[in-house]
Structure formats: C-alpha cells, structure tokens
Amino acid sequence: MKRTLLIAHGGGPTAVINASLYGAIEQARESGAFSRILACRRGIASGSFIDLSEVPETKLALLPYTPGSAIGTGRTPIDEEGYVKLVNTFQGMGVTDILLTGGNGTMDTTRKLAKAGKACGILVDGIPKTMDNDLSGTDHAPGYGSAARYLAGSVREVDQDVKGLSIHVVVIEAFGRDAGWITASSALARTERGDGPDMILCPETPFEEERFLSRVQDLYDEKKGVVVVASEGLRYADGKPIVEPVFQTGRSVYFGDVSAHLSQLVTRRLGIKSRSEKPGILGRASVRWASDVDRMEAIGCGRASVEALLAGKSGWMSTITRLSTEPYRTSIDLIPIEDAVLQAKTLPKAYLDGEHYDVSDAFTQWLRPLVGDDLGSFISFLNT
C-alpha cells in the first residue's frame, strides 16, 4: 500500500529551509513509496493543509532559491493532549509519515509526536534547521552558513564605508539568543590586518561596560573609525541581558535594541559619534547572500530524513558530520533525537577570545568552508 507523507516547518525561516523541502519532496517522489505528499500550511498544528503531490518539477526547482518558507511555518505550543489530537487527525487523513523541519523546539516536537504516533504506526522524523546554529548533534545546521555569509559580507561592506569616513563608531547587532555563532561569523569580513570588525561581542563572554568603553576609546584613538558586532543576547556576568527584552513568552524572546543601547553608551560616555545597525530578518531572508554549500547540505538533509522514514525509523533526525575541513568534506547521517540533541549548543571556549573581544583562528578555520565562495575584492588608495 502506498504511503502519505506530511511535511511541516517550525520556527523562524532561513535562506535554505525551502531547499530542505525540495530535497524531501524529490526523495519522496523518486522512492515511489508515496501516493500523496502533503504540507501543513503555517506549522504542524495549523489544521490547514496543502497538496504538493502534483506540483510540476519546474515549480519545485524554484524552492532552493526561494527565501522564507514556501509552506509557511509556526510556533504554536502543543501540550500532551494536543499531540494525541494531532495523531488522530493525521491518521484520519491517511497520513503514514511526517517530517518536521526546525531547530531545538521543533526537534523536541518531532520526538514527542513520534512517541504519540507509535501506537498507530505513524513515523515521524526531523530535518535540522536553525540560522542560530544552536542545535546539538550536528556539526552545523542548515541555515547557518547562509546567515554567516550574509553577516560577514555585510560587515565587510560597512567596514569599507567606515574606512572611507573614519569619524564614528558603528555597532551592528546580530541574531543569536543564547549562542554567538552568527555574531562570531563576522570575523570572516577581515582580509587584511586592521580590517573590521574591531570588536566581536558574543553572549558566551559576559559583558563588562567599563572594559568595553575603554576598548572603544583605544580603538577610536588609533583608527577614528570603529566597527563593533554585538549579539542580541548580550548579557552581564549574572546572566541579566544588557537590555531588557521587550516581550517574552516561552522560548520566544523579543530583545531590546542592543546595538542602539551600545551606540548611545559610546556617545554619552565617550563623546564619540556613533550609530547602530540592526540587519535582523534581512540576515535570514537574503537568498542573494545564501551559501551554495548551505543550500546543497539543506537538500541533502531533506533527502536523508525521507530515507529515515523509508527505513522505518521514527524520532530520528538527519545530521551533518564533518569528515575534513581542508579539503571540506561531510556526510549526511541519521541520529536519534535524544536529550543531548536538544541541548542548546553554544560557542566552545576554544573558539572565543574574550580578552580581546574576538574569536580564535580555530573558529574561522572551522567556519570558512560553510559560507561558500569568496566574498569579493575591494580596493583602497588611502594608504598609498
């Protein structure tokens, strides 16, 4: 008997979440095991569905190059009773297999839905996705490489602007609630000695206001133009955010404006002109800056998770295993979604240089293959 596959997205979109969707659909079609391929419109708990079974290949081919989520995504909390209701609904629809694409919260949902679906034979597996790169169990998550490429390229362009008019401090805020992976990626903006960013402030390193201001003053005295990249989740040693969140419910946090706070601090305390920039959603929506490596790995994870279903696995997730950095080689594997996988992955100490508000060479070496092609070449005559 042919099977019915249901696919859903959870959490924030990335530049390559649709690439994973494409990989899953292609693998499902090529397998010949599924008579129908459905998608949840705006999340697993929405109650609204899209039939993708007959979508022509010409349209599917656009998915890897389409930002956002082509089927919509959601963050609706689900309680124990809710999982039972979902399983009953899906069983009534003839659904036999489910794939959820997302980060920590979505993989937790995947595990719980797999447990609820066991009694009626519904298989549920996950496809990793998070631009924050804070999902454990994988070398890195699809979505991160593209976000890193966007920030590194954008900071590199801002640094050129600041070099051309060296009169102020620019503070750029990066996504990352608890982990500094995206913030740290700005280090790839540097190509020559003296290039920005001049300071990289990750949440793993407690913020010290006086030390920060002292370092800014020293840099300004030396360069007159300073570029700072700061995480939205920046906090003091006691764990308190340097700017109180505007709103918080469960895992969803709307942070205060960290870049504006730091910029105003520089101007008020040091008397130096300063401005703030906050790319925000631009960093996860930019398909123009997307990494080709990230896109291909996202497709591979989508395919592998379908293979997990076909192998009878439930409560598993596809994962990226790094085999070599130089040359860069990976394999797409499968792992069970256990407690350790759901733990938030922060930057290890070996990747941080908290003393100098920076990251280590080991981190940039690890990151470089993920962002893909060269970020471009610039020229300046200022030092000639």
Side-chain angles (χ1 to χ4, degrees):
M1 185 180 72
K2 290 290 184 77
R3 297 149 70 166
T4 295
L5 173 63
L6 176 66
I7 305 173
H9 288 167
T14 72
V16 298
I17 191 173
N18 289 322
S20 290
L21 175 62
Y22 173 79
I25 294 172
E26 287 294 285
Q27 190 69 23
R29 286 186 172 185
E30 291 170 12
S31 73
F34 302 94
S35 58
R36 289 193 303 164
I37 301 174
L38 308 177
C40 288
R41 182 183 278 107
R42 304 191 185 283
I44 191 70
S46 69
S48 180
F49 306 94
I50 307 165
D51 195 329
L52 303 176
S53 306
E54 304 299 328
V55 176
E57 288 292 332
T58 52
K59 289 189 176 181
L60 287 180
L62 296 174
L63 282 174
Y65 305 94
T66 299
S69 171
I71 60 175
T73 183
R75 295 186 186 273
T76 305
I78 306 170
D79 57 22
E80 187 174 348
E81 183 180 353
Y83 285 105
V84 175
K85 289 181 178 179
L86 284 176
V87 166
N88 290 337
T89 297
F90 298 149
Q91 185 180 25
M93 295 169 57
V95 171
T96 56
D97 302 83
I98 299 173
L99 286 179
L100 279 71
T101 307
N104 302 71
T106 302
M107 290 306 105
D108 186 37
T109 297
T110 300
R111 183 172 65 166
K112 291 175 179 176
L113 192 60
K115 182 179 180 181
K118 187 174 183 180
C120 59
I122 294 179
L123 303 178
V124 188
D125 287 316
I127 304 172
K129 174 277 316 175
T130 170
M131 65 172 289
D132 289 345
N133 199 43
D134 59 352
L135 179 63
S136 296
T138 183
D139 179 76
H140 54 280
Y144 172 64
S146 294
R149 180 175 173 80
Y150 174 90
L151 186 63
S154 298
V155 170
R156 192 154 177 256
E157 292 171 342
V158 168
D159 187 54
Q160 291 295 312
D161 186 285
V162 171
K163 285 178 179 177
L165 183 63
S166 299
I167 61 171
H168 55 195
V169 174
V170 176
V171 184
I172 301 170
E173 184 173 333
F175 272 143
R177 178 178 58 238
D178 299 309
W181 295 98
I182 296 178
T183 305
S185 70
S186 63
L188 288 189
R190 302 167 180 149
T191 57
E192 303 290 341
R193 183 177 178 83
D195 286 351
D198 301 292
M199 300 174 68
I200 299 175
L201 309 180
C202 296
E204 290 86 350
T205 300
F207 180 74
E208 299 176 48
E209 186 171 298
E210 296 305 320
R211 194 161 74 91
F212 164 74
L213 290 171
S214 176
R215 179 61 176 155
V216 169
Q217 184 68 67
D218 289 344
L219 285 165
Y220 183 76
D221 291 343
E222 175 189 349
K223 301 179 66 176
K224 301 304 180 187
V226 181
V227 177
V228 178
V229 179
S231 166
E232 65 177 353
L234 210 59
R235 50 181 60 88
Y236 297 108
D238 62 1
K240 181 181 178 181
I242 69 167
V243 180
E244 285 297 322
V246 175
F247 176 75
Q248 181 171 2
T249 175
R251 293 181 69 253
S252 297
V253 181
Y254 290 82
F255 285 95
D257 200 329
V258 168
S259 56
H261 172 77
L262 293 177
S263 180
Q264 291 171 15
L265 195 63
V266 168
T267 300
R268 290 171 178 168
R269 292 284 304 279
L270 302 179
I272 300 172
K273 292 181 180 180
S274 182
R275 64 180 301 138
S276 62
E277 304 288 345
K278 191 174 183 177
I281 290 177
L282 291 171
R284 76 183 190 199
S286 175
V287 76
R288 297 298 180 190
W289 271 110
S291 160
D292 291 336
V293 172
D294 194 23
R295 183 182 293 113
M296 294 307 299
E297 290 179 340
I299 292 172
C301 284
R303 284 183 172 275
S305 292
V306 171
E307 291 176 352
L309 295 172
L310 294 174
K313 296 181 183 295
S314 191
W316 288 60
M317 175 186 87
S318 53
T319 182
I320 301 170
T321 302
R322 185 177 301 221
L323 305 176
S324 170
T325 296
E326 294 181 3
Y328 180 65
R329 292 188 301 114
T330 61
S331 63
I332 307 297
D333 301 310
L334 297 167
I335 59 171
I337 303 173
E338 300 174 338
D339 289 345
V341 174
L342 302 177
Q343 296 299 313
K345 181 176 69 175
T346 57
L347 281 165
K349 290 183 178 180
Y351 284 175
L352 292 165
D353 181 358
E355 181 182 352
H356 301 98
Y357 288 112
D358 210 334
V359 296
S360 68
D361 291 339
F363 170 74
T364 55
Q365 182 181 20
W366 173 88
L367 173 63
R368 198 172 299 279
L370 309 186
V371 304
D373 296 335
D374 181 66
L375 299 176
S377 300
F378 303 135
I379 189 169
S380 173
F381 301 113
L382 291 172
N383 295 323
T384 59

